[in-house]
Amino acid sequence: MLLVEDLHKSYGDLKALQGISFEVKEGDILGLLGPNGAGKSTTMRIVTGYIPADSGRVLVDGLDSMNNSLQVRQRIGYLPEHTPLYTDMRVAEFLMFRAHIKGVPRRERKNRVIEVMEKTQTTDRAQQIIGNLSKGFRQRVGIADALIGRPRLLILDEPTIGLDPLQVRQVRDLIKDLASERTVILSTHILAEVEMICNKVVIIHQGTTVAADKIASLIDNYDEYAVELTLERNGASVDELKTALSIDTVKAVSDSSNSWENPDKVISFRLTPKERKDIRPQLYDLAKTQSWKLLELRRERVSLEDVFTLLTQQHADKAADTKETEPTVKADDAVSEAQASKPEAAKEEAAPEKASEADAEPAKADVETDGKTDATASADSDSPGDGSEQAPEADKDSKKAKE
């Protein structure tokens, strides 16, 4: 009926969806679960065609939501978290208007309005102004609006939010009745509600699919088959009782006594079996053998809430570990790049040195040449020449003149 494959959606730098995938078969009642900000509402808006995905695809009854948007919307009934109603209109008037907007043929509109009011039990409020209705009846009118087009897929976002306990029960019963004729997706934070209504669950956390399975299978996968045992103490010590309870089929024994119990008279233990099997028969036989006064022996039931908490916490821890290792990897990459660049830098440094040595050799040659030139020049100045020959003769003439 519905196939969601690898949905991605970002709002600027915020990655709302990072690969959401799940499948809903015809007749399923699917619970869409996740903490606030997990991506539930974004997923439903993409499925219903309110906003497009960045990538991925949605198939409703075999039709692609992007290529066949109008046909897909005709097959979907959607109740948002905040029910959009015209509070100044009467119930029947509003539903007639919505039937017209959704393309219900004129000759069928009246009968269709009567049909959905009967299903949602709002017939006696047909001529009442919506603004004067209670919160519960407004939710019913919103569901009637979602049903007016006879959708094959009904999507309800927090349908029981803000309702009193009686109204919550009434809306739950209504959803169960509606599910007999169509596929239903229910988004809620009330996990007990999902356990009571749905047969399948999808858990979303930080924009990714953490789990998608039937509720019974999911709970069974995380059921340790632990047993709670309560005895009259009769002076026995905790260690003695623990030792006696440590039979071959038991993996662990822990004291689980309640604070309101008298520890001198009553003691409780939690026993975890080595294999996922019911060990109550063996414990009952042991209690008879030891002549214990057995007050309680029951299997510990794992709830959907327990599984939800475990899976979301594991995913959060894994994401945190990934974020912590990313800077280390980047730092290691930077060090590697720096080390890789050192030989190049050394080559570059060595090249100027060689160049400077090469430049120095011509300079040295120039210096030697200049030295030779200076020496030659001095030698030439000492050797007899025109000026040097005339100077001694002039000296002799001056001496003779003095004499």
Side-chain angles (χ1 to χ4, degrees):
M1 181 61 201
L2 172 66
L3 178 64
V4 175
E5 287 187 342
D6 198 28
L7 286 187
H8 288 77
K9 180 67 179 178
S10 297
Y11 300 102
D13 294 334
L14 175 64
K15 295 180 179 179
L17 302 182
Q18 304 181 63
I20 296 292
S21 298
F22 61 88
E23 183 178 2
V24 186
K25 295 182 179 179
E26 190 168 358
D28 280 345
I29 310 176
L30 175 76
L32 190 61
L33 302 178
N36 289 328
K40 302 186 302 296
S41 295
T42 300
T43 301
M44 287 187 290
R45 287 175 185 148
I46 292 173
V47 170
T48 54
Y50 275 61
I51 59 174
D54 295 339
S55 63
R57 67 171 184 162
V58 175
L59 297 180
V60 178
D61 207 12
L63 298 172
D64 191 292
S65 62
M66 291 297 292
N67 300 328
N68 308 97
S69 179
L70 184 59
Q71 293 92 323
V72 166
R73 295 186 190 195
Q74 289 173 343
R75 286 165 169 77
I76 294 176
Y78 179 40
L79 177 67
E81 180 179 352
H82 303 289
T83 311
L85 302 172
Y86 291 109
T87 55
D88 57 339
M89 297 179 73
R90 299 181 189 277
V91 173
E93 179 189 9
F94 171 73
L95 293 175
M96 285 289 287
F97 168 70
R98 293 294 291 164
H100 172 65
I101 292 295
K102 293 187 177 184
V104 177
R106 181 187 296 272
R107 63 181 178 275
E108 296 182 22
R109 289 175 197 165
K110 186 176 180 179
N111 291 334
R112 193 74 66 85
V113 169
I114 293 172
E115 176 188 315
V116 297
M117 284 196 299
E118 287 177 352
K119 286 183 177 179
T120 56
Q121 300 176 6
T122 54
T123 304
D124 57 344
R125 300 290 197 277
Q127 298 306 316
Q128 193 168 342
I129 294 175
I130 293 174
N132 296 333
L133 295 175
S134 66
K135 173 72 173 176
F137 271 102
R138 289 190 190 187
Q139 287 292 86
R140 288 172 177 271
V141 173
I143 295 173
D145 174 26
L147 294 172
I148 200 76
R150 288 181 178 169
R152 297 192 60 195
L153 175 63
L154 183 62
I155 300 177
L156 307 174
D157 190 359
E158 300 286 355
T160 60
I161 190 170
L163 303 184
D164 63 46
L166 179 59
Q167 292 171 335
V168 167
R169 178 174 294 182
Q170 291 171 346
V171 172
R172 286 175 183 170
D173 292 340
L174 173 59
I175 294 171
K176 288 181 180 178
D177 292 338
L178 295 174
S180 63
E181 302 174 0
R182 56 189 54 80
T183 302
V184 177
I185 296 179
L186 172 67
S187 172
T188 180
H189 288 98
I190 307 172
L191 300 178
E193 186 171 82
V194 173
E195 274 193 275
M196 286 187 285
I197 299 175
C198 304
N199 66 327
K200 189 176 180 180
V201 66
V202 171
I203 299 176
I204 296 175
H205 188 250
Q206 296 179 348
T208 60
T209 306
V210 177
D213 202 349
K214 291 183 178 180
I215 294 177
S217 300
L218 194 62
I219 290 175
D220 186 62
N221 289 338
Y222 291 92
D223 189 354
E224 294 182 320
Y225 284 71
V227 172
E228 196 75 21
L229 175 73
T230 305
L231 304 168
E232 278 192 9
R233 190 160 183 174
N234 291 333
S237 68
V238 175
D239 291 337
E240 288 174 351
L241 291 171
K242 278 186 177 181
T243 302
L245 288 168
S246 298
I247 56 179
D248 294 340
T249 55
V250 175
K251 179 175 68 174
V253 181
S254 59
D255 186 351
S256 62
S257 300
N258 296 309
S259 57
W260 50 266
E261 292 178 336
N262 187 340
D264 295 330
K265 294 183 178 180
V266 178
I267 189 167
S268 297
F269 293 98
R270 183 180 185 272
L271 298 95
T272 307
K274 292 180 180 178
E275 299 180 2
R276 297 175 70 248
K277 293 181 180 179
D278 192 354
I279 59 172
R280 285 177 295 179
Q282 292 94 318
L283 294 175
Y284 177 75
D285 293 339
L286 178 64
K288 285 173 60 178
T289 304
Q290 298 287 339
S291 299
W292 291 333
K293 288 186 178 180
L294 190 61
L295 302 179
E296 184 180 17
L297 179 61
R298 63 179 177 85
R299 253 195 67 191
E300 187 179 86
R301 298 291 179 182
V302 177
S303 67
L304 181 60
E305 183 177 353
D306 297 329
V307 176
F308 174 84
T309 304
L310 176 65
L311 290 176
T312 53
Q313 187 59 52
Q314 286 178 347
H315 186 266
D317 293 343
K318 185 178 179 181
D321 292 341
T322 302
K323 285 183 180 180
E324 288 178 1
T325 55
E326 280 179 357
T328 306
V329 172
K330 290 180 180 178
D332 293 341
D333 291 342
V335 171
S336 300
E337 289 178 3
Q339 290 175 347
S341 63
K342 278 182 179 180
E344 298 296 329
K347 289 179 182 179
E348 291 177 0
E349 290 176 1
E353 288 178 2
K354 289 181 180 179
S356 60
E357 290 176 1
D359 292 341
E361 288 180 359
K364 185 177 179 182
D366 292 342
V367 170
E368 290 176 355
T369 305
D370 292 341
K372 288 181 180 180
T373 305
D374 294 340
T376 306
S378 60
D380 291 342
S381 61
D382 291 342
S383 61
D386 295 338
S388 60
E389 289 178 353
Q390 290 177 358
E393 294 294 332
D395 291 341
K396 288 179 181 180
D397 292 342
S398 61
K399 285 180 180 179
K400 286 182 178 180
K402 287 179 180 180
E403 291 174 355

